[in-house]
Amino acid sequence: MPSITEARTELARVRGAHPSDLKPGQTPSIPPFYDPLHIVDLGLQVLDSRLEHTERLQIIEQVVIAAIECGKLELAKTQLQVLESQMPKEYSRLKRLQGLLLEATGNVKKAQAIYEEILADNPGNVMIAKRLAMSFLTENNRPEAIAHLVTYLDTFMQDADAWTTLAQLYLEERMFQQAKYCYEELMLLKPKHHLYQLRYADVVASMGRFELAVKYYCAAVESVSESVHGWYGIRSTTRALIQEKNREQRHKASGVLQEECTNLETYRALNKLSQERLEALYSKAPAHLKSLLN
């Protein structure tokens, strides 16, 4: 068990940097493996020591959020009651915690009412605006979540996480054109992010736009040369394009343009290269995985 000093240092490191507290475009400074159960244990240990009033309230707030995340709802309720006895009732941070606990206990409508009340007083509250949108996913109401995320992103356009969530919701609703737009916005925010390039390529490939998909799969493997996803994408889309071009050439017979022949050869070369790279990447894989290359 860490000492009180070590526990306080660790809690201070994550205080105010929880993912739900970040502003649009802000990079998390929390440890890569955020463990809410660990935060609960550290927080309770520190709360047993002598603390200044402000620091005590901050740590209790951390414990409430972490307890909700790991399902310790009774603990969250108990600690929230401590905050309620020491904070003004109109304090938005307190109301937010009340909303989070209501969501966790299934009272989503009451939580949404609290979020809307906060936003009525402060429409620019980023955390609450986003939390309200995400609360509709708690009750599996995707259309309403989409509508609120669209409204949220009209104001907070730099929020990459919100764009990613919206894209995924559009895909679940099979709204590919809208998902495509989301990934275009993400690539404007982070042009070299290979995961956005891959997802964009996946979407346009699903729309049958294989030539565009190949370009973005190629861009992704230029950034990350061992991207299995990228090489599989190149292989599948070039295979589709080769079949398509072969059919077109059979119909046109002798009237095939030189440019079309060049494109076909490029797709064949890319298809061969992708197969070679995948075989190299899977060279040490178990036999049942190698069969995926066939």
Side-chain angles (χ1 to χ4, degrees), residues 1-4 6-8 10-11 14 34-49 59-60 62-68 70 72 75 79:
M1 179 179 292
S3 68
I4 294 295
E6 290 171 337
R8 289 177 70 178
E10 179 68 10
L11 285 171
V14 301
Y34 176 76
D35 182 359
L37 189 59
H38 182 53
I39 297 302
V40 167
D41 292 339
L42 288 175
L44 293 177
Q45 182 185 350
V46 172
L47 288 173
D48 282 337
S49 64
I59 291 175
I60 293 174
Q62 281 183 280
V63 170
V64 171
I65 294 172
I68 291 172
C70 62
K72 291 179 172 286
L75 173 62
Q79 295 296 322

Side-chain angles (χ1 to χ4, degrees), residues 150-168:
V150 168
T151 301
Y152 170 82
L153 285 165
D154 282 342
T155 304
F156 307 109
M157 293 177 287
Q158 301 298 310
D159 192 333
D161 287 339
W163 281 114
T164 302
T165 301
L166 182 58
Q168 185 58 44

Side-chain angles (χ1 to χ4, degrees), residues 72-181:
K72 291 179 172 286
L73 300 185
E74 283 302 316
L75 173 62
K77 182 179 178 181
T78 301
Q79 295 296 322
L80 182 55
Q81 288 171 346
V82 175
L83 289 177
E84 288 170 338
S85 68
Q86 300 184 46
M87 283 184 173
K89 290 184 178 180
E90 66 276 8
Y91 193 39
S92 63
R93 291 179 75 95
L94 179 61
K95 289 182 178 180
R96 170 176 169 254
L97 295 176
Q98 292 168 336
L100 292 175
L101 185 57
L102 284 168
E103 274 193 76
T105 54
N107 296 304
V108 181
K109 295 298 182 186
K110 289 183 179 179
Q112 290 167 347
I114 288 176
Y115 300 147
E116 288 168 354
E117 180 185 336
I118 297 171
L119 290 171
D121 292 334
N122 180 13
N125 191 316
V126 178
M127 288 188 292
I128 298 302
K130 188 174 181 179
R131 188 61 244 160
L132 176 60
M134 300 306 293
S135 69
F136 290 98
L137 292 182
T138 305
E139 54 184 5
N140 200 30
N141 187 345
R142 284 202 296 265
E144 200 64 39
I146 287 172
H148 276 77
L149 276 173
V150 168
T151 301
Y152 170 82
L153 285 165
D154 282 342
T155 304
F156 307 109
M157 293 177 287
Q158 301 298 310
D159 192 333
D161 287 339
W163 281 114
T164 302
T165 301
L166 182 58
Q168 185 58 44
L169 290 173
Y170 278 138
L171 289 174
E172 290 173 3
E173 294 292 314
R174 302 188 66 79
M175 300 169 72
F176 296 112
Q177 186 64 42
Q178 291 84 345
K180 172 177 172 289
Y181 174 79

